Amino acid sequence: MGEGEHSEKNLTAIGREAIAALPDVRIYSLSLHDDQGDILWLSEGAMGPDEHSAVRAAMEAFAGQNAPAMVDYDLGDGRCAALVRVADKADDSLVGLVMFIVDTRNVPRIGSTDRIAPELKASVRSFAGELGVRATQTMKIPAFVLPEKEKAKAGAPRPAGPPVTPALDRYYAALMKVPFALYLQRLLPLTAGSRIRRYEVLLRSKSELAPDVAPHAMLRSAVEKGLGTVIDRRVVVDLITWLRNHPASWQQPLLLSVNLTSTAIADDNFLRFVAMCLEKSKLPKGMLAFEIASEQAYKHPERVAHVARTLSAAGCPIVIDDFEIHEGSDIVLNLRGARMIKLSANLTSPEFRKSKAQQAIIAGIAQMARVTGMHTVAKRVESREDRTWLKALGIDFVQGNAFGTPIPLEQLAAPAAPTAQQG
């Protein structure tokens, strides 16, 4: 019997055990989910849009410390989703959840937001143990020491394949010395109830000639020369090292998304580097996410699917950037670990308020995201009017200088964490 078959039988047994623990509750279906909200086991049928929305809402509610043990979500028609948080014994981090679809009258019988009913405790403990086994099988990562004292060695290896010319070698050395700083831009939630603070990590120059300016030319040049991972690795090392040294900055649930260059997407060494850094750092899973341009996913679907699977196994959610409806959209929406869609700014430019067709596209993307358990973000939004319209169309977050100007990473360590401007 293979590991996958053995695990599937364990999950089936746990699911049936949980149903049997509540004999006097009418249970329409039960599903077991991992720490990303993905379905591991479903008792019957298929989950619909409302059920996916319930899981998405529960993932928000269960993030971080002091999270409730259980939440419920009204599905209408006399049905309710009761979701139980499954946590790691050692550090109380989220490892998964159990969702019961029950008769509305039975929700008090299952438990409350303060306490799980005793009947469920055994099956929840079993599920937590099974998830631990699955994680151990998936995450076979060797010991690794974060290069805090040797950051100069943390750059990408010299490019393989074409000969390394003296000019390219000098450029590599120069990239390793370029001074830059990490900034954050807040994603403003459009609805109440979000416990997770979300930011995009931005690169800014520390050069005296162009301080606090995005180094677009440097990034383009590095990618063209096949050295984009030099910058990607420096960003990952600096970010993880800072977070490790400032644990107070992430006591409240936090998600930081880092843009990946096309060279990083093509480099398996970079993916292993990220996994090893995170394993050694012991940072909470799900705190560091990576943004992949949808164009890359359309051009190289198999490669991007591999990247998404690898980063997801390391505990890193995927953000799909610059999304538009495309012939291959279904492939992008099904990427393992994809948790957020950032719409192309072309779709949400101010003209969208005058175009019913554009509004329909935005609303359609928002609905697709809900069904697949993802959030949506509108970028470069600069007016309250646009924000109001986007909220009505179902968008979850907006990003723009009007609602949150980029701040230095160090400000996360301030006694009161910065919040987005409300415009």
Side-chain angles (χ1 to χ4, degrees):
M1 184 186 297
E3 286 182 354
E5 183 182 356
H6 176 72
S7 185
E8 181 64 28
K9 287 191 174 183
N10 286 352
L11 292 174
T12 301
I14 292 167
R16 290 174 177 168
E17 176 187 326
I19 294 173
L22 301 170
D24 56 339
V25 176
R26 183 181 180 184
I27 299 174
Y28 297 102
S29 70
L30 179 141
S31 53
L32 306 176
H33 302 256
D34 64 14
D35 62 334
Q36 299 294 312
D38 289 330
I39 301 174
L40 297 175
W41 184 82
L42 180 62
S43 63
E44 59 181 64
M47 282 176 52
D50 289 340
E51 287 87 347
H52 283 291
S53 291
V55 172
R56 193 181 74 155
M59 293 295 291
E60 289 284 314
F62 290 156
Q65 299 177 340
N66 302 317
M70 176 181 161
V71 295
D72 55 73
Y73 190 95
D74 185 12
L75 300 176
D77 297 325
R79 298 182 310 132
C80 180
L83 301 107
V84 180
R85 184 177 189 266
V86 181
D88 186 284
K89 273 187 178 181
D91 59 7
D92 194 43
S93 61
L94 178 70
V95 294
L97 60 88
V98 180
M99 179 169 71
F100 295 82
I101 307 300
V102 301
D103 189 297
T104 303
R105 294 167 296 181
N106 290 137
V107 176
R109 169 71 183 79
I110 291 179
S112 71
T113 55
D114 299 320
R115 169 179 175 278
I116 302 174
E119 295 92 336
L120 288 180
K121 287 186 178 179
S123 53
V124 169
R125 280 197 299 269
S126 298
F127 184 38
E130 171 65 17
L131 288 175
V133 171
R134 292 168 68 91
T136 302
Q137 293 170 350
T138 303
M139 296 290 295
K140 294 179 179 177
I141 298 173
F144 182 82
V145 178
L146 266 177
E148 294 178 4
K149 297 180 180 178
E150 300 180 275
K151 289 186 182 180
K153 297 180 181 179
R158 266 59 166 188
V164 179
T165 65
L168 189 61
D169 202 50
R170 286 194 297 271
Y171 187 79
Y172 171 90
L175 275 181
M176 291 300 298
K177 296 178 181 177
V178 171
F180 65 70
L182 300 182
Y183 275 61
L184 306 176
Q185 186 169 41
R186 181 86 185 270
L187 276 56
L188 176 71
L190 297 183
T191 55
S194 177
R195 298 184 73 235
I196 304 172
R197 297 169 297 153
R198 292 173 167 84
Y199 296 88
E200 178 181 352
V201 179
L202 304 173
L203 201 60
R204 291 292 183 262
S205 171
K206 290 177 68 176
S207 165
E208 293 181 1
L209 297 176
D212 302 333
V213 173
H216 296 303
M218 178 191 73
L219 285 168
R220 281 195 301 270
S221 178
V223 170
E224 289 169 0
K225 290 177 170 61
L227 293 175
T229 50
V230 176
I231 299 170
D232 290 304
R233 287 186 180 223
R234 288 187 60 189
V235 170
V236 168
V237 169
D238 284 4
L239 184 59
I240 290 179
T241 301
W242 189 90
L243 290 168
R244 242 183 118 196
N245 294 332
H246 298 84
S249 66
W250 40 269
Q251 292 310 301
Q252 181 183 344
L254 179 68
L255 177 68
L256 304 176
S257 63
V258 175
N259 287 278
L260 283 184
T261 64
S262 58
T263 45
I265 290 172
D267 186 355
D268 276 333
N269 288 327
F270 173 76
L271 301 179
R272 286 191 286 268
F273 176 82
V274 170
M276 289 189 293
C277 286
L278 287 170
E279 173 69 8
K280 182 61 180 178
S281 73
K282 303 301 181 185
L283 291 175
K285 285 187 176 182
M287 189 162 66
L288 185 62
F290 287 94
E291 298 195 17
I292 299 176
S294 61
E295 181 183 12
Q296 290 291 319
Y298 295 139
K299 286 183 177 179
H300 312 288
E302 292 184 3
R303 179 64 201 174
V304 168
H306 166 71
V307 171
R309 285 193 301 270
T310 304
L311 291 175
S312 179
C316 300
I318 301 299
V319 178
I320 303 167
D321 196 16
D322 287 328
F323 182 83
E324 293 184 4
I325 298 295
H326 188 277
E327 186 177 347
S329 293
D330 58 327
I331 297 174
V332 176
L333 293 171
N334 283 318
L335 284 175
R336 172 71 177 170
R339 290 293 168 264
M340 184 176 289
I341 295 173
K342 288 191 171 184
L343 279 67
S344 167
N346 295 329
L347 289 175
T348 54
S349 60
E351 289 73 22
F352 84 88
R353 286 190 275 145
K354 302 176 184 177
S355 170
K356 290 184 178 179
Q358 209 159 327
Q359 293 169 32
I361 292 171
I362 294 170
I365 293 173
Q367 180 63 9
M368 285 192 296
R370 279 194 176 82
V371 171
T372 53
M374 288 190 271
H375 289 97
T376 48
V377 183
K379 305 191 300 181
R380 302 177 199 169
V381 178
E382 300 299 340
S383 75
R384 279 184 288 184
E385 291 78 12
D386 286 351
R387 183 182 72 179
T388 300
W389 277 71
L390 290 165
K391 179 180 179 180
L393 293 172
I395 298 299
D396 299 303
F397 297 87
V398 292
Q399 182 178 5
N401 291 339
F403 308 112
T405 55
I407 61 169
L409 172 64
E410 291 74 20
Q411 284 194 26
L412 275 186
T419 57
Q421 300 170 18
Q422 295 299 313

